[in-house]
Amino acid sequence: MRNGEVSYWWHALGGFPPRRASLPGPLEADVCIVGGGYTGLWTAYYLAERRPDARIVVLEAAFAGYGASGRNGGWVTSELPGSRAIYARGPRGADGVRALEAELRSTVDEVGRVCEAESIDCDFVRGGRMSVATSPTQLARLRSALTHARDWGDGDDVYTFLSGAEASERINVAGALGALYAPASARVQPAALASGLAAAVERRGVSIYEATPVTEILPVAGGPDGAAAVARTMFGDVRARSVLRCTEGFTARLPGARRALLPMNSSMVVTEPLPADVWKQIGWDGFETLSDEAHAYMYAQRTADGRIAIGGRGVPYRFGSATDQLGATQPSTAAALGEVVHRMFPAAAGAQLDHAWCGVLGVPRDWCASVTYDASSGLGWAGGYSGHGVAAANLAGRTLADLVAGTQSPLTSLPWVGHRSRTWEPEPARWAGVHGLYALYRLADRLETPADDPAGRGGQARVVLGEALGRVGDVISGIPH
Ligand SMILES: Cc1cc2nc3c(=O)[nH]c(=O)nc-3n(C[C@H](O)[C@H](O)[C@H](O)COP(=O)(O)OP(=O)(O)OC[C@H]3O[C@@H](n4cnc5c(N)ncnc54)[C@H](O)[C@@H]3O)c2cc1C
Protein backbone atom coordinates (compact mmCIF):
# COMPACT_ATOMS: atom_id res chain seq x y z
CA MET A 1 0.00 0.00 0.00
CA ARG A 2 1.30 3.45 -0.91
CA ASN A 3 1.23 5.96 1.88
CA GLY A 4 1.37 9.70 1.22
CA GLU A 5 2.72 10.96 -2.11
CA VAL A 6 0.18 13.73 -1.46
CA SER A 7 -2.85 11.60 -2.41
CA TYR A 8 -4.21 8.76 -4.50
CA TRP A 9 -5.95 11.39 -6.62
CA TRP A 10 -2.64 12.87 -7.78
CA HIS A 11 -1.16 9.40 -8.19
CA ALA A 12 -4.11 8.46 -10.44
CA LEU A 13 -3.34 11.48 -12.62
CA GLY A 14 0.20 10.22 -13.12
CA GLY A 15 1.99 11.69 -10.09
CA PHE A 16 2.94 15.24 -9.26
CA PRO A 17 2.06 17.64 -12.06
CA PRO A 18 4.81 19.42 -14.03
CA ARG A 19 5.97 22.30 -11.84
CA ARG A 20 5.11 25.86 -12.90
CA ALA A 21 7.79 28.52 -12.56
CA SER A 22 8.43 30.25 -9.25
CA LEU A 23 7.97 33.99 -8.87
CA PRO A 24 10.73 35.48 -11.08
CA GLY A 25 11.34 38.47 -8.77
CA PRO A 26 9.54 41.45 -7.28
CA LEU A 27 6.27 42.18 -9.03
CA GLU A 28 3.35 44.57 -9.08
CA ALA A 29 -0.19 43.34 -9.55
CA ASP A 30 -3.77 44.38 -9.02
CA VAL A 31 -4.66 41.29 -7.02
CA CYS A 32 -2.29 38.81 -5.37
CA ILE A 33 -3.83 35.56 -4.20
CA VAL A 34 -1.85 33.51 -1.67
CA GLY A 35 -2.60 29.78 -2.00
CA GLY A 36 -3.44 27.73 -5.08
CA GLY A 37 -6.20 25.51 -3.71
CA TYR A 38 -9.89 25.72 -4.65
CA THR A 39 -10.40 28.99 -2.73
CA GLY A 40 -7.53 30.80 -4.42
CA LEU A 41 -8.23 29.34 -7.85
CA TRP A 42 -11.99 29.97 -7.82
CA THR A 43 -11.36 33.53 -6.63
CA ALA A 44 -8.90 34.05 -9.48
CA TYR A 45 -11.31 32.46 -11.97
CA TYR A 46 -14.25 34.72 -11.14
CA LEU A 47 -12.11 37.85 -10.66
CA ALA A 48 -10.61 37.38 -14.10
CA GLU A 49 -14.16 37.09 -15.45
CA ARG A 50 -15.33 40.24 -13.67
CA ARG A 51 -12.16 42.25 -14.40
CA PRO A 52 -10.52 40.80 -17.51
CA ASP A 53 -7.87 43.54 -17.58
CA ALA A 54 -6.73 43.06 -13.98
CA ARG A 55 -3.23 41.71 -13.33
CA ILE A 56 -3.93 38.72 -11.08
CA VAL A 57 -1.23 36.48 -9.64
CA VAL A 58 -1.50 33.36 -7.53
CA LEU A 59 1.46 32.52 -5.26
CA GLU A 60 1.53 28.86 -4.25
CA ALA A 61 3.98 27.34 -1.75
CA ALA A 62 4.07 23.91 -3.45
CA PHE A 63 1.85 23.30 -6.50
CA ALA A 64 -1.75 24.13 -7.35
CA GLY A 65 -3.90 21.50 -5.63
CA TYR A 66 -1.16 20.39 -3.21
CA GLY A 67 -3.32 21.03 -0.12
CA ALA A 68 -6.74 19.73 0.87
CA SER A 69 -8.05 20.56 -2.60
CA GLY A 70 -6.00 17.72 -4.11
CA ARG A 71 -6.59 15.27 -1.27
CA ASN A 72 -10.24 15.48 -0.19
CA GLY A 73 -13.12 13.02 -0.34
CA GLY A 74 -14.48 14.54 -3.54
CA TRP A 75 -17.81 15.52 -2.05
CA VAL A 76 -19.08 18.68 -3.69
CA THR A 77 -21.54 19.06 -0.86
CA SER A 78 -24.02 21.80 -0.03
CA GLU A 79 -23.59 21.16 3.69
CA LEU A 80 -23.28 24.35 5.72
CA PRO A 81 -19.78 24.82 7.15
CA GLY A 82 -20.72 25.47 10.77
CA SER A 83 -23.82 26.35 12.71
CA ARG A 84 -27.07 27.88 11.56
CA ALA A 85 -27.56 29.37 15.02
CA ILE A 86 -24.24 31.22 14.91
CA TYR A 87 -24.69 32.60 11.39
CA ALA A 88 -28.23 33.63 12.40
CA ARG A 89 -26.74 36.05 14.94
CA GLY A 90 -25.75 38.25 11.97
CA PRO A 91 -27.90 41.20 10.82
CA ARG A 92 -29.95 39.10 8.36
CA GLY A 93 -30.90 36.54 11.02
CA ALA A 94 -32.46 33.26 9.96
CA ASP A 95 -33.24 34.55 6.45
CA GLY A 96 -29.54 35.10 5.88
CA VAL A 97 -28.82 31.50 6.87
CA ARG A 98 -31.49 30.21 4.48
CA ALA A 99 -29.99 32.36 1.72
CA LEU A 100 -26.51 30.97 2.40
CA GLU A 101 -27.82 27.40 2.35
CA ALA A 102 -29.71 28.00 -0.91
CA GLU A 103 -26.54 29.46 -2.48
CA LEU A 104 -24.54 26.44 -1.34
CA ARG A 105 -27.08 24.13 -2.98
CA SER A 106 -26.94 25.99 -6.27
CA THR A 107 -23.14 26.03 -6.02
CA VAL A 108 -23.11 22.28 -6.67
CA ASP A 109 -24.62 23.02 -10.10
CA GLU A 110 -22.28 25.97 -10.62
CA VAL A 111 -19.24 23.70 -10.12
CA GLY A 112 -20.75 21.27 -12.64
CA ARG A 113 -21.47 24.11 -15.08
CA VAL A 114 -17.88 25.40 -15.01
CA CYS A 115 -16.48 21.88 -15.33
CA GLU A 116 -18.51 21.45 -18.49
CA ALA A 117 -17.80 24.94 -19.86
CA GLU A 118 -14.05 24.59 -19.25
CA SER A 119 -13.83 20.90 -20.21
CA ILE A 120 -12.57 19.98 -16.74
CA ASP A 121 -12.66 16.19 -16.76
CA CYS A 122 -13.06 15.42 -13.05
CA ASP A 123 -15.71 12.67 -12.95
CA PHE A 124 -18.41 15.10 -11.77
CA VAL A 125 -21.62 13.17 -11.04
CA ARG A 126 -24.50 14.85 -9.20
CA GLY A 127 -25.70 11.75 -7.36
CA GLY A 128 -26.77 13.36 -4.08
CA ARG A 129 -25.56 12.60 -0.58
CA MET A 130 -26.65 9.77 1.70
CA SER A 131 -25.98 9.73 5.42
CA VAL A 132 -26.68 6.27 6.78
CA ALA A 133 -27.48 5.12 10.33
CA THR A 134 -26.24 1.69 11.39
CA SER A 135 -27.28 1.72 15.06
CA PRO A 136 -30.43 2.83 16.88
CA THR A 137 -28.66 5.85 18.35
CA GLN A 138 -27.36 6.90 14.93
CA LEU A 139 -30.92 6.54 13.65
CA ALA A 140 -32.22 8.75 16.45
CA ARG A 141 -29.60 11.37 15.55
CA LEU A 142 -30.69 11.21 11.91
CA ARG A 143 -34.32 11.74 12.83
CA SER A 144 -33.45 14.67 15.05
CA ALA A 145 -31.32 16.19 12.25
CA LEU A 146 -34.32 15.86 9.95
CA THR A 147 -36.65 17.53 12.46
CA HIS A 148 -34.14 20.36 12.87
CA ALA A 149 -33.89 20.77 9.09
CA ARG A 150 -37.70 20.84 8.75
CA ASP A 151 -37.85 23.50 11.50
CA TRP A 152 -35.58 25.60 9.28
CA GLY A 153 -37.93 25.11 6.35
CA ASP A 154 -36.06 22.38 4.45
CA GLY A 155 -38.58 20.31 2.52
CA ASP A 156 -38.29 16.99 0.69
CA ASP A 157 -36.36 18.71 -2.07
CA VAL A 158 -33.55 19.29 0.43
CA TYR A 159 -33.71 16.18 2.66
CA THR A 160 -35.66 12.96 2.31
CA PHE A 161 -35.78 10.20 4.88
CA LEU A 162 -35.05 6.71 3.54
CA SER A 163 -35.95 3.50 5.35
CA GLY A 164 -33.22 0.90 5.82
CA ALA A 165 -34.52 -1.00 2.78
CA GLU A 166 -34.69 2.14 0.63
CA ALA A 167 -31.17 3.11 1.67
CA SER A 168 -29.85 -0.38 0.87
CA GLU A 169 -31.43 -0.21 -2.55
CA ARG A 170 -29.14 2.74 -3.32
CA ILE A 171 -26.04 1.53 -1.45
CA ASN A 172 -25.99 -1.82 0.32
CA VAL A 173 -24.41 -0.79 3.63
CA ALA A 174 -24.46 -3.63 6.18
CA GLY A 175 -26.92 -3.01 9.00
CA ALA A 176 -28.44 0.14 7.48
CA LEU A 177 -31.43 1.17 9.58
CA GLY A 178 -32.26 4.35 7.71
CA ALA A 179 -30.68 7.27 5.91
CA LEU A 180 -31.08 10.91 5.02
CA TYR A 181 -30.77 11.67 1.34
CA ALA A 182 -29.89 15.16 0.05
CA PRO A 183 -29.91 15.64 -3.72
CA ALA A 184 -27.56 18.67 -3.73
CA SER A 185 -24.23 16.89 -3.77
CA ALA A 186 -21.85 15.65 -6.43
CA ARG A 187 -18.87 13.33 -6.60
CA VAL A 188 -15.60 14.48 -8.17
CA GLN A 189 -11.97 13.41 -8.56
CA PRO A 190 -10.54 16.23 -6.41
CA ALA A 191 -7.07 16.58 -7.95
CA ALA A 192 -8.54 16.52 -11.45
CA LEU A 193 -10.81 19.41 -10.44
CA ALA A 194 -7.88 21.37 -8.98
CA SER A 195 -5.65 20.71 -11.97
CA GLY A 196 -8.37 21.53 -14.54
CA LEU A 197 -9.33 24.67 -12.65
CA ALA A 198 -5.72 25.87 -12.51
CA ALA A 199 -5.48 25.46 -16.29
CA ALA A 200 -8.79 27.33 -16.78
CA VAL A 201 -7.52 30.16 -14.58
CA GLU A 202 -4.35 30.44 -16.67
CA ARG A 203 -6.43 30.53 -19.84
CA ARG A 204 -8.10 33.62 -18.37
CA GLY A 205 -4.72 35.33 -18.10
CA VAL A 206 -3.91 34.71 -14.44
CA SER A 207 -0.26 33.93 -13.56
CA ILE A 208 0.28 31.05 -11.14
CA TYR A 209 3.73 30.91 -9.50
CA GLU A 210 4.53 27.64 -7.75
CA ALA A 211 7.19 26.68 -5.17
CA THR A 212 6.74 30.24 -3.92
CA PRO A 213 5.88 30.30 -0.21
CA VAL A 214 4.65 33.62 1.11
CA THR A 215 6.35 34.39 4.40
CA GLU A 216 4.31 37.41 5.41
CA ILE A 217 1.35 39.49 4.28
CA LEU A 218 1.53 43.18 5.20
CA PRO A 219 -0.52 46.30 4.60
CA VAL A 220 1.45 49.23 3.10
CA ALA A 221 -1.13 51.99 3.32
CA GLY A 222 -0.52 54.85 0.91
CA GLY A 223 2.07 53.09 -1.25
CA PRO A 224 3.24 55.37 -4.11
CA ASP A 225 2.31 52.77 -6.77
CA GLY A 226 -1.26 52.51 -5.49
CA ALA A 227 -0.47 49.25 -3.76
CA ALA A 228 -2.23 48.68 -0.49
CA ALA A 229 -0.57 45.45 0.56
CA VAL A 230 2.45 43.24 0.07
CA ALA A 231 2.97 39.49 -0.05
CA ARG A 232 6.57 38.79 0.93
CA THR A 233 8.48 35.84 -0.55
CA MET A 234 12.12 34.76 -0.77
CA PHE A 235 12.07 35.78 -4.43
CA GLY A 236 10.87 39.31 -3.69
CA ASP A 237 7.68 41.16 -2.79
CA VAL A 238 4.44 41.21 -4.71
CA ARG A 239 2.83 44.61 -4.21
CA ALA A 240 -0.86 44.72 -5.02
CA ARG A 241 -4.05 46.66 -4.47
CA SER A 242 -5.50 43.52 -2.88
CA VAL A 243 -3.76 40.57 -1.22
CA LEU A 244 -6.01 37.62 -0.44
CA ARG A 245 -5.07 34.86 1.98
CA CYS A 246 -6.46 31.53 0.72
CA THR A 247 -4.35 29.12 2.75
CA GLU A 248 -7.02 27.32 4.85
CA GLY A 249 -5.37 24.51 6.87
CA PHE A 250 -1.88 26.02 6.40
CA THR A 251 -2.79 29.48 7.69
CA ALA A 252 -1.09 28.96 11.06
CA ARG A 253 2.30 29.25 9.33
CA LEU A 254 1.73 32.93 8.59
CA PRO A 255 2.71 35.56 11.16
CA GLY A 256 -0.32 37.18 12.72
CA ALA A 257 -2.61 34.24 11.90
CA ARG A 258 -1.09 31.44 13.97
CA ARG A 259 -4.23 30.78 16.03
CA ALA A 260 -6.84 31.79 13.42
CA LEU A 261 -7.58 28.36 11.90
CA LEU A 262 -6.78 24.98 13.40
CA PRO A 263 -5.23 22.55 10.89
CA MET A 264 -7.52 19.57 11.47
CA ASN A 265 -6.19 16.36 10.02
CA SER A 266 -8.29 13.99 7.93
CA SER A 267 -7.10 10.69 6.50
CA MET A 268 -8.26 8.61 3.57
CA VAL A 269 -7.71 5.20 1.99
CA VAL A 270 -8.72 3.80 -1.36
CA THR A 271 -9.34 0.13 -2.15
CA GLU A 272 -8.11 -1.67 -5.20
CA PRO A 273 -10.67 -1.66 -8.06
CA LEU A 274 -13.55 -3.94 -7.04
CA PRO A 275 -14.74 -6.64 -9.45
CA ALA A 276 -18.13 -6.34 -11.14
CA ASP A 277 -19.72 -9.07 -8.97
CA VAL A 278 -18.79 -7.14 -5.81
CA TRP A 279 -20.29 -3.93 -7.23
CA LYS A 280 -23.39 -5.90 -8.09
CA GLN A 281 -23.81 -6.72 -4.40
CA ILE A 282 -23.00 -3.21 -3.19
CA GLY A 283 -25.00 -1.26 -5.78
CA TRP A 284 -24.00 2.41 -5.50
CA ASP A 285 -24.93 2.92 -9.15
CA GLY A 286 -25.98 6.52 -8.42
CA PHE A 287 -22.47 7.49 -7.19
CA GLU A 288 -23.96 9.17 -4.11
CA THR A 289 -21.49 10.59 -1.62
CA LEU A 290 -21.85 8.52 1.55
CA SER A 291 -21.32 9.13 5.27
CA ASP A 292 -22.42 7.56 8.54
CA GLU A 293 -23.81 9.15 11.69
CA ALA A 294 -20.99 8.23 14.09
CA HIS A 295 -19.53 11.06 16.17
CA ALA A 296 -16.14 10.41 14.53
CA TYR A 297 -17.87 9.94 11.19
CA MET A 298 -16.66 8.44 7.91
CA TYR A 299 -17.17 9.85 4.39
CA ALA A 300 -16.86 7.90 1.16
CA GLN A 301 -17.33 7.87 -2.58
CA ARG A 302 -17.40 5.26 -5.33
CA THR A 303 -14.64 6.38 -7.67
CA ALA A 304 -14.90 6.49 -11.44
CA ASP A 305 -12.28 3.74 -11.62
CA GLY A 306 -14.36 1.35 -9.51
CA ARG A 307 -12.83 1.74 -6.05
CA ILE A 308 -14.16 2.80 -2.67
CA ALA A 309 -12.41 5.89 -1.30
CA ILE A 310 -13.16 6.43 2.36
CA GLY A 311 -12.01 8.96 4.92
CA GLY A 312 -12.19 9.69 8.62
CA ARG A 313 -10.47 11.68 11.31
CA GLY A 314 -7.55 9.44 12.45
CA VAL A 315 -5.06 11.50 14.50
CA PRO A 316 -7.03 14.75 14.58
CA TYR A 317 -4.34 17.35 15.16
CA ARG A 318 -0.57 17.74 15.37
CA PHE A 319 1.01 19.72 18.20
CA GLY A 320 1.78 23.35 17.39
CA SER A 321 -0.50 23.34 14.31
CA ALA A 322 2.07 21.25 12.40
CA THR A 323 1.07 19.65 9.10
CA ASP A 324 1.87 16.28 7.53
CA GLN A 325 4.86 15.29 5.40
CA LEU A 326 3.58 14.89 1.84
CA GLY A 327 0.37 13.35 3.08
CA ALA A 328 1.76 10.29 4.89
CA THR A 329 -0.72 9.01 7.48
CA GLN A 330 -0.37 6.62 10.42
CA PRO A 331 -0.60 2.92 9.42
CA SER A 332 -3.03 2.36 12.32
CA THR A 333 -5.38 5.00 10.86
CA ALA A 334 -5.23 3.37 7.43
CA ALA A 335 -5.96 -0.03 9.01
CA ALA A 336 -8.91 1.40 10.96
CA LEU A 337 -10.39 2.90 7.76
CA GLY A 338 -9.90 -0.46 6.03
CA GLU A 339 -11.92 -2.10 8.82
CA VAL A 340 -14.73 0.40 8.24
CA VAL A 341 -14.82 -0.57 4.54
CA HIS A 342 -15.00 -4.25 5.43
CA ARG A 343 -17.64 -3.70 8.14
CA MET A 344 -19.89 -1.56 5.97
CA PHE A 345 -19.38 -3.58 2.79
CA PRO A 346 -18.88 -7.27 3.62
CA ALA A 347 -18.88 -7.98 -0.12
CA ALA A 348 -15.60 -6.03 -0.30
CA ALA A 349 -14.05 -7.83 2.68
CA GLY A 350 -11.28 -9.29 0.52
CA ALA A 351 -10.35 -5.97 -1.05
CA GLN A 352 -6.80 -4.69 -0.54
CA LEU A 353 -6.11 -1.07 0.21
CA ASP A 354 -4.00 0.52 -2.52
CA HIS A 355 -3.20 3.94 -1.09
CA ALA A 356 -3.51 5.92 2.16
CA TRP A 357 -2.94 9.64 2.70
CA CYS A 358 -4.00 12.57 4.82
CA GLY A 359 -4.31 16.34 4.71
CA VAL A 360 -5.36 19.34 6.72
CA LEU A 361 -8.54 21.38 6.58
CA GLY A 362 -9.05 24.68 8.37
CA VAL A 363 -11.31 24.90 11.42
CA PRO A 364 -12.15 28.23 13.08
CA ARG A 365 -12.83 28.24 16.82
CA ASP A 366 -16.62 28.41 16.23
CA TRP A 367 -16.50 26.06 13.19
CA CYS A 368 -18.09 28.76 10.98
CA ALA A 369 -16.41 29.84 7.75
CA SER A 370 -15.69 33.40 6.73
CA VAL A 371 -15.23 35.49 3.58
CA THR A 372 -13.66 38.77 4.57
CA TYR A 373 -12.35 41.77 2.63
CA ASP A 374 -11.31 45.18 3.86
CA ALA A 375 -11.23 47.59 0.91
CA SER A 376 -9.15 50.16 2.78
CA SER A 377 -6.26 47.83 3.63
CA GLY A 378 -6.73 45.66 0.53
CA LEU A 379 -6.47 42.55 2.72
CA GLY A 380 -8.91 39.68 2.51
CA TRP A 381 -9.25 36.00 3.16
CA ALA A 382 -11.67 33.10 2.87
CA GLY A 383 -11.75 29.67 4.45
CA GLY A 384 -12.49 27.80 7.64
CA TYR A 385 -14.97 25.47 5.99
CA SER A 386 -14.48 22.85 8.73
CA GLY A 387 -14.43 19.91 6.33
CA HIS A 388 -17.16 21.12 3.97
CA GLY A 389 -14.95 23.15 1.67
CA VAL A 390 -15.26 21.79 -1.85
CA ALA A 391 -18.49 23.55 -2.86
CA ALA A 392 -18.06 26.27 -0.23
CA ALA A 393 -14.72 27.34 -1.75
CA ASN A 394 -16.47 28.04 -5.06
CA LEU A 395 -19.10 30.19 -3.37
CA ALA A 396 -16.43 31.89 -1.24
CA GLY A 397 -14.32 32.55 -4.35
CA ARG A 398 -17.25 34.12 -6.20
CA THR A 399 -18.03 36.23 -3.14
CA LEU A 400 -14.43 37.36 -2.65
CA ALA A 401 -14.29 38.27 -6.35
CA ASP A 402 -17.39 40.48 -5.93
CA LEU A 403 -15.96 42.10 -2.79
CA VAL A 404 -12.62 42.86 -4.45
CA ALA A 405 -14.33 44.15 -7.60
CA GLY A 406 -16.50 46.39 -5.41
CA THR A 407 -19.69 44.82 -6.74
CA GLN A 408 -22.66 44.60 -4.40
CA SER A 409 -24.38 41.30 -5.09
CA PRO A 410 -26.67 38.84 -3.29
CA LEU A 411 -23.46 37.04 -2.31
CA THR A 412 -21.80 39.98 -0.56
CA SER A 413 -24.53 40.15 2.09
CA LEU A 414 -24.47 36.46 3.02
CA PRO A 415 -23.95 35.94 6.76
CA TRP A 416 -20.45 34.48 6.47
CA VAL A 417 -19.18 37.71 4.89
CA GLY A 418 -17.10 39.45 7.53
CA HIS A 419 -17.88 36.72 10.07
CA ARG A 420 -15.37 36.70 12.93
CA SER A 421 -14.47 33.80 15.15
CA ARG A 422 -12.29 34.05 18.23
CA THR A 423 -8.79 32.58 18.07
CA TRP A 424 -7.85 29.10 19.24
CA GLU A 425 -6.29 28.54 22.65
CA PRO A 426 -2.48 28.54 22.89
CA GLU A 427 -0.60 25.24 23.23
CA PRO A 428 -0.66 22.87 25.04
CA ALA A 429 -4.36 23.59 25.69
CA ARG A 430 -5.13 23.43 21.94
CA TRP A 431 -3.56 19.99 21.51
CA ALA A 432 -5.07 18.60 24.72
CA GLY A 433 -8.53 19.96 23.87
CA VAL A 434 -8.69 18.53 20.35
CA HIS A 435 -7.24 15.15 21.33
CA GLY A 436 -9.50 14.96 24.40
CA LEU A 437 -12.53 15.76 22.24
CA TYR A 438 -11.84 13.02 19.70
CA ALA A 439 -11.00 10.49 22.43
CA LEU A 440 -14.44 11.31 23.85
CA TYR A 441 -16.11 10.89 20.46
CA ARG A 442 -14.40 7.56 19.81
CA LEU A 443 -15.43 6.30 23.25
CA ALA A 444 -19.00 7.52 22.63
CA ASP A 445 -19.07 5.63 19.30
CA ARG A 446 -17.74 2.45 20.93
CA LEU A 447 -20.31 2.62 23.71
CA GLU A 448 -23.18 3.40 21.35
CA THR A 449 -22.30 0.68 18.86
CA PRO A 450 -20.44 -2.13 20.64
CA ALA A 451 -18.68 -4.51 18.25
CA ASP A 452 -20.34 -7.53 19.87
CA ASP A 453 -23.79 -5.92 19.87
CA PRO A 454 -24.03 -3.44 16.98
CA ALA A 455 -27.77 -3.05 17.43
CA GLY A 456 -27.10 -1.83 20.97
CA ARG A 457 -29.87 -4.01 22.39
CA GLY A 458 -27.88 -5.62 25.19
CA GLY A 459 -26.38 -2.63 26.91
CA GLN A 460 -28.88 0.19 27.11
CA ALA A 461 -26.91 1.86 29.89
CA ARG A 462 -23.79 1.83 27.71
CA VAL A 463 -25.69 3.28 24.79
CA VAL A 464 -27.19 6.07 26.90
CA LEU A 465 -23.74 6.86 28.32
CA GLY A 466 -22.31 6.92 24.79
CA GLU A 467 -24.96 9.37 23.64
CA ALA A 468 -24.36 11.56 26.67
CA LEU A 469 -20.59 11.61 26.06
CA GLY A 470 -21.21 12.55 22.42
CA ARG A 471 -23.31 15.49 23.55
CA VAL A 472 -20.69 16.53 26.08
CA GLY A 473 -18.16 16.48 23.22
CA ASP A 474 -20.39 18.75 21.12
CA VAL A 475 -20.72 21.20 24.01
CA ILE A 476 -16.96 21.20 24.77
CA SER A 477 -15.99 21.71 21.14
CA GLY A 478 -18.64 24.32 20.61
CA ILE A 479 -19.80 22.24 17.63
CA PRO A 480 -23.24 23.75 17.30
CA HIS A 481 -26.23 22.54 15.29
C1 LIG B 1 -8.58 14.41 3.64
C2 LIG B 1 -9.58 15.51 3.43
C3 LIG B 1 -10.87 15.19 2.99
C4 LIG B 1 -11.79 16.21 2.76
N1 LIG B 1 -12.98 15.88 2.20
C5 LIG B 1 -13.84 16.86 1.85
C6 LIG B 1 -14.99 16.56 1.09
O1 LIG B 1 -15.18 15.43 0.65
N2 LIG B 1 -15.87 17.58 0.83
C7 LIG B 1 -15.66 18.85 1.25
O2 LIG B 1 -16.50 19.72 1.01
N3 LIG B 1 -14.51 19.18 1.90
C8 LIG B 1 -13.59 18.23 2.18
N4 LIG B 1 -12.42 18.55 2.77
C9 LIG B 1 -12.11 19.98 2.98
C10 LIG B 1 -11.76 20.66 1.66
O3 LIG B 1 -10.92 19.84 0.89
C11 LIG B 1 -11.06 21.99 1.96
O4 LIG B 1 -11.86 22.76 2.82
C12 LIG B 1 -10.81 22.81 0.69
O5 LIG B 1 -10.14 22.04 -0.27
C13 LIG B 1 -10.02 24.05 1.06
O6 LIG B 1 -9.52 24.66 -0.11
P1 LIG B 1 -8.48 25.84 0.07
O7 LIG B 1 -8.09 26.27 -1.26
O8 LIG B 1 -9.08 26.85 0.98
O9 LIG B 1 -7.26 25.19 0.86
P2 LIG B 1 -6.15 24.17 0.31
O10 LIG B 1 -6.67 23.29 -0.74
O11 LIG B 1 -5.55 23.52 1.50
O12 LIG B 1 -5.13 25.11 -0.41
C14 LIG B 1 -4.30 25.99 0.30
C15 LIG B 1 -3.07 26.15 -0.57
O13 LIG B 1 -2.28 27.21 -0.03
C16 LIG B 1 -0.93 26.87 -0.14
N5 LIG B 1 -0.23 27.64 0.87
C17 LIG B 1 -0.30 27.51 2.20
N6 LIG B 1 0.47 28.41 2.82
C18 LIG B 1 1.03 29.16 1.84
C19 LIG B 1 1.93 30.24 1.84
N7 LIG B 1 2.40 30.74 2.97
N8 LIG B 1 2.32 30.75 0.66
C20 LIG B 1 1.85 30.27 -0.52
N9 LIG B 1 0.99 29.22 -0.56
C21 LIG B 1 0.58 28.68 0.60
C22 LIG B 1 -0.90 25.37 0.12
O14 LIG B 1 0.27 24.77 -0.41
C23 LIG B 1 -2.17 24.93 -0.58
O15 LIG B 1 -1.96 24.52 -1.90
C24 LIG B 1 -11.46 17.56 3.03
C25 LIG B 1 -10.18 17.89 3.49
C26 LIG B 1 -9.25 16.87 3.68
C27 LIG B 1 -7.87 17.23 4.16
Side-chain angles (χ1 to χ4, degrees), residues 35 37-39 60-61 68-69 72-75 214 248 250 299 359 387-390:
Y38 296 146
T39 304
E60 163 55 47
S69 300
N72 63 74
W75 287 38
V214 169
E248 239 230 341
F250 302 88
Y299 51 91
H388 301 315
V390 177

Side-chain angles (χ1 to χ4, degrees), residues 33-41 59-77 79 190 209 212-217 246-251 253-254 264-268 289 299 301 311-313 357-362 382-393:
I33 294 168
V34 181
Y38 296 146
T39 304
L41 295 172
L59 304 181
E60 163 55 47
F63 58 85
Y66 166 79
S69 300
R71 309 185 192 195
N72 63 74
W75 287 38
V76 187
T77 171
E79 278 172 283
Y209 296 110
T212 302
V214 169
T215 50
E216 203 168 7
I217 298 173
C246 302
T247 50
E248 239 230 341
F250 302 88
T251 301
R253 292 180 188 172
L254 285 165
M264 185 73 83
N265 189 62
S266 199
S267 294
M268 293 199 70
T289 53
Y299 51 91
Q301 67 151 280
R313 189 60 71 221
W357 69 98
C358 68
V360 286
L361 46 104
Y385 315 114
S386 300
H388 301 315
V390 177

Side-chain angles (χ1 to χ4, degrees), residues 294-376:
H295 296 289
Y297 63 90
M298 55 65 73
Y299 51 91
Q301 67 151 280
R302 174 179 176 173
T303 68
D305 58 356
R307 303 162 186 263
I308 295 174
I310 185 169
R313 189 60 71 221
V315 172
Y317 170 72
R318 295 182 179 81
F319 191 84
S321 293
T323 52
D324 52 87
Q325 298 292 324
L326 282 177
T329 194
Q330 297 75 19
S332 56
T333 300
L337 288 169
E339 277 166 29
V340 177
V341 174
H342 300 159
R343 174 163 46 79
M344 293 183 89
F345 305 105
Q352 300 294 312
L353 301 181
D354 267 0
H355 202 133
W357 69 98
C358 68
V360 286
L361 46 104
V363 180
R365 186 62 181 84
D366 66 359
W367 298 72
C368 290
S370 180
V371 183
T372 295
Y373 182 67
D374 173 17
S376 61

